[in-house]
Amino acid sequence: ALLDQGGLPKFSKIGPALVVPGMTELLDRFERDVTDLEARLESQAATYEETVEAVEKLSAPVSYAWGVVGHLNGVRNSDELRE
């Protein structure tokens, strides 16, 4: 549910057990995508705007998921979630 980012977050389906695997998957994907972007940028001239826009798009899923986790921590805080 943490990886399903279409529409509003599905808070009722997201629990502490999903946070680490979900964030790990998103961060792994982000790292791969940034590596691919770096390779593309090395082979072509890119503007600052193009580069920043690409990085923002790549980081959006991580930011979205971390926002969901932060919200859950604020409203449904638990020892398990803080770990």
Side-chain angles (χ1 to χ4, degrees):
L2 188 59
L3 301 177
D4 180 6
Q5 298 186 357
L8 297 174
K10 288 133 186 90
F11 289 110
S12 64
K13 296 181 180 180
I14 301 170
L18 297 176
V19 172
V20 171
M23 291 305 300
T24 299
E25 182 175 336
L26 288 170
L27 290 169
D28 288 346
R29 187 181 312 158
F30 176 71
E31 186 175 359
R32 283 191 310 269
D33 291 345
V34 167
T35 300
D36 292 345
L37 175 63
E38 288 173 336
R40 284 196 313 271
L41 293 176
E42 286 177 357
S43 65
Q44 67 185 35
T47 66
Y48 174 81
E49 290 81 13
E50 291 169 336
T51 305
V52 170
E53 184 177 329
V55 171
E56 286 178 357
K57 286 181 182 178
L58 295 178
S59 66
V62 175
S63 296
Y64 179 94
W66 194 243
V68 170
V69 172
H71 177 75
L72 284 174
N73 189 46
V75 300
R76 198 170 46 172
N77 196 345
S78 67
D79 290 340
E80 188 180 19
L81 184 59
R82 284 191 301 272
E83 290 177 7

